[in-house]
Amino acid sequence: MVLGTVWASFNDVRNPIIIQGGMGAGVSDWRLARTVSCLGHLGVVSGTAVNTLLLRRLQDGDPQGHSRRALSQFPDRAIAEEILSLFFQEGGRNPGQPYKLSPLSNLNASLRFHQLSVAGAFVEVWLAKEGHDNPVGINLLEKLQLANLPAIYGAMLAGVDYVLMGAGIPREIPGVLDLFSEQKAASIKAHAVGLSSAPEHEDVRTSFDPALVFPDMEKKPLKRPLFLAIVSSATLATHLAKKSTGRVDGFVVEGPLAGGHNAPPRGPLKLSETGEPIYGSKDVPDLVAIKEIGLPFWMAGSFATPEKLREALAAGAAGIQVGTAFAFCEESGMSESIKRAAIRKWGLPESNTTDRVFTDPLASPTDFPFKVAPMEGTLSDNTLYQARPRICDLGYLRTLAVGPSGDFVHRCPSEPVADYLKKGGKIEETVGRKCLCNALMTNIDMGQSQKSGHEELALVTAGDDLAMLRRFLRGGKTSYSARDVLEQLLEDVKPAFSDATSSSVSP
Ligand SMILES: Cc1cc2nc3c(=O)[nH]c(=O)nc-3n(C[C@H](O)[C@H](O)[C@H](O)COP(=O)(O)O)c2cc1C
């Protein structure tokens, strides 16, 4: 079957039917997004930790030269050269050699952090767009607000077509896209814990100014990407459609079966016998109300079957967003050994485990439930988790808070407990918290060898529907491609779209 683009018209805008979900960090990397976009659907790179992603690829010797090729197109030549001279390591690191780190995101982040984040997002999007004209998106988590502005700007420098953002209320992002398209400075409210009525606490903002970060760079107007907000309720969708600082172009409606972070259940948190959040009828999004907003929407969270796709379309959705199925395919950035182990455990005809994905209410420092696939040798094993020396050296998930001395502090409940307490955090908030920053880098084979000698372990996230990997592994296959996923999903849907265009190119 030829996988021509299947984009349907909605309010005169052509929309993809399948969005490959953004998966951090580096699981939906440029290679996966490029493949999906070339096959005519919407490929989405993850915008999480893009500075670290670039630095680690360079320190691993950038074996095929992709990052250096993209950096050679970065509009600020001097900064691109500086990044290379600081971080590129011919032949890669020696075994056990710790990666050099980027400065951390911060309320008043350093110039270097901003430059590295812009360059990281630029490289990821530029590579995903290389050699074809089909649209590419970038996905960001609102919770990582102190890192988001430079990543958005970098993605826009590379001509990103869509920005998708969830895990929070991204009300101010549409306005940021408008400002960056004119190369103007932008700022967003920085949520902080423990604010008082003191004037300095009134409007705490984090900002990014292209003129300050790249004073010597020529600044041409940039394309304003479309903005899709990831929501779990009609209330949030309506609020964003009405109250955002600029145009919202659509919604991804994500339910609690999706991989990664999930929105917490409405109301007080109640746990099941297995210790997982209980979702109820209040958590089912009102699709009629969402449809009434008049913007396109996509359904996400165990929607990766032709039947569920048809169901979504029948409910008025423009299509679906799919994560887990792509996370374990050949082109994803996930470590090959993790993909193989997951497929052995859940995907083969003979796989007969009763283990299933656990919705962990504590693992993520963000307080959002986080889906964990139980896998040997990873931090889903409590003994390995307890044995990990706590360290906070990537810091993306730190919360801004007013510390005991009244100054702003950045703290993470998975950092060393004494540090967290010193910054005014409560001990009970540290229990069961996992360092997702380090674990997610290990998931993509870029785990840190800490100076202490500790090798950071993985923690794998996936949607509830891991057993659906079997559908892509028929006929004795032990791996599958992004094309296999798309062909399966569109088996009997494509002919229904009379205005479908064919613009797939060879990946
Ligand atoms: C490995 C993995 C990582 C993910 N990371 C993110 C992320 O960083 N940001 C985000 O908005 N969604 C993330 N998601 C959610 C996906 O973008 C997508 O919405 C979801 O996976 C759809 O549900 P499904 O997994 O049942 O297909 C992730 C999902 C997976 C499986």
Side-chain angles (χ1 to χ4, degrees):
M1 179 171 101
V2 179
L3 272 174
T5 303
V6 188
W7 289 52
S9 290
F10 195 106
N11 292 352
D12 291 332
V13 178
R14 297 190 74 74
N15 290 298
I17 290 180
I18 305 218
I19 302 178
Q20 162 256 303
M23 296 179 282
V27 170
S28 62
D29 61 3
W30 64 267
R31 203 180 308 263
L32 175 60
R34 181 172 182 279
T35 305
V36 173
S37 286
C38 283
L39 289 169
H41 301 270
L42 182 60
V44 178
V45 297
S46 164
T48 303
V50 278
N51 52 337
T52 298
L53 212 60
L54 172 61
L55 298 196
R56 294 196 176 182
R57 284 195 190 127
L58 292 175
Q59 290 174 74
D60 285 335
D62 188 28
Q64 279 109 33
H66 298 303
S67 298
R68 281 168 291 159
R69 187 170 71 258
L71 269 181
S72 74
Q73 300 302 311
F74 190 66
D76 192 316
R77 300 297 324 124
I79 287 173
E81 290 304 328
E82 220 172 295
I83 292 174
L84 281 175
S85 73
L86 285 171
F87 295 99
F88 175 61
Q89 199 167 332
E90 187 82 55
R93 294 170 311 140
N94 298 319
Q97 182 190 341
Y99 286 109
K100 280 195 245 172
L101 298 172
S102 160
L104 303 196
S105 57
N106 223 308
L107 184 58
N108 299 304
S110 65
L111 213 51
R112 179 68 78 211
F113 171 79
H114 278 159
Q115 292 164 347
L116 291 171
S117 301
V118 172
F122 175 88
V123 165
E124 208 58 14
V125 172
W126 189 90
L127 288 170
K129 287 183 75 73
E130 188 181 18
H132 67 97
D133 294 324
N134 291 345
V136 164
I138 190 166
N139 170 289
L140 297 141
L141 295 164
E142 198 272 342
K143 287 260 174 199
L144 274 58
Q145 49 183 318
L146 300 181
N148 281 339
L149 294 183
I152 293 173
Y153 181 75
M156 286 177 66
L157 274 184
V160 78
D161 302 279
Y162 284 78
V163 170
L164 300 94
M165 192 182 281
I169 304 177
R171 198 185 62 81
E172 291 186 286
I173 300 302
V176 168
L177 303 181
D178 295 334
L179 288 167
F180 283 168
S181 70
E182 297 170 29
Q183 293 279 9
K184 290 187 179 148
S187 70
I188 51 174
K189 195 174 179 59
H191 307 292
V193 178
L195 291 180
S196 67
S197 52
E200 67 271 23
H201 287 180
E202 220 165 62
D203 193 21
V204 186
R205 302 185 77 76
T206 176
S207 56
F208 178 88
D209 183 353
L212 279 180
V213 182
F214 301 106
D216 303 325
M217 185 174 87
E218 190 194 346
K219 296 182 190 67
K220 299 187 196 131
L222 302 172
K223 179 172 71 191
R224 197 275 196 192
L226 298 175
F227 179 69
L228 306 184
I230 303 173
V231 300
S232 61
S233 72
T235 318
L236 179 55
T238 309
H239 172 78
L240 287 170
K242 286 192 182 149
K243 300 277 160 99
S244 289
T245 53
R247 198 186 73 230
V248 174
D249 299 287
F251 302 100
V252 174
V253 182
E254 196 184 72
L257 303 179
H261 285 94
N262 300 142
R266 310 282 170 271
L269 181 68
K270 289 200 198 104
L271 299 181
S272 67
E273 271 174 18
T274 54
E276 295 169 283
I278 300 176
Y279 291 86
S281 53
K282 281 196 195 135
D283 300 299
V284 178
D286 179 348
L287 294 186
V288 174
I290 290 177
K291 199 173 155 192
E292 273 169 12
I293 297 172
L295 293 172
F297 63 95
W298 290 260
M299 301 302 296
S302 290
F303 270 85
T305 63
E307 299 74 37
K308 294 293 285 183
L309 171 54
R310 269 203 304 275
E311 187 188 300
L313 294 171
I320 56 175
Q321 172 167 287
V322 172
T324 303
F326 287 115
F328 297 90
C329 80
E330 285 150 10
E331 294 89 347
S332 97
M334 179 102 74
S335 158
E336 286 306 317
S337 60
I338 293 178
K339 282 185 212 171
R340 273 199 302 274
I343 285 173
R344 258 198 320 274
K345 186 161 179 177
W346 285 283
L348 300 181
E350 62 270 27
S351 307
N352 61 0
T353 179
T354 53
D355 282 357
R356 54 175 198 82
V357 170
F358 178 68
T359 307
D360 192 329
L362 295 177
S364 172
T366 64
D367 268 350
F368 274 46
F370 186 71
K371 285 273 191 309
V372 174
M375 295 188 68
E376 221 175 278
T378 73
L379 294 173
S380 63
D381 175 337
N382 195 42
T383 317
L384 295 175
Y385 161 62
Q386 296 294 348
R388 174 183 181 268
R390 282 186 175 224
I391 184 169
C392 183
D393 54 357
L394 292 174
Y396 296 104
L397 293 171
R398 294 182 309 166
T399 307
L400 185 65
V402 181
S405 64
D407 293 337
F408 283 116
V409 293
H410 298 79
R411 68 186 187 210
C412 176
S414 78
E415 73 183 314
V417 175
D419 295 351
Y420 188 70
L421 300 184
K422 233 186 284 164
K423 295 179 198 167
K426 299 196 181 82
I427 190 141
E428 57 273 22
E429 293 163 354
T430 66
V431 178
R433 301 297 182 185
K434 297 185 169 161
C435 177
L436 296 193
C437 293
N438 271 298
L440 295 194
M441 294 313 294
T442 305
N443 289 358
I444 53 168
D445 282 331
M446 289 188 206
Q448 181 65 296
S449 309
Q450 296 291 1
K451 290 192 184 107
S452 63
H454 178 75
E455 294 288 335
E456 293 289 359
L457 296 179
L459 181 67
V460 180
T461 182
D464 278 44
D465 197 13
L466 250 184
M468 60 84 207
L469 297 183
R470 277 168 217 236
R471 286 198 294 274
F472 311 118
L473 289 157
R474 292 179 187 152
K477 283 168 63 176
T478 53
S479 73
Y480 64 95
S481 65
R483 175 184 279 269
D484 291 332
V485 174
L486 292 165
E487 285 191 347
Q488 257 273 318
L489 289 177
L490 291 165
E491 236 164 34
D492 49 5
V493 175
K494 200 179 154 204
F497 289 89
S498 51
D499 65 346
T501 56
S502 224
S503 67
S504 67
V505 281
S506 294

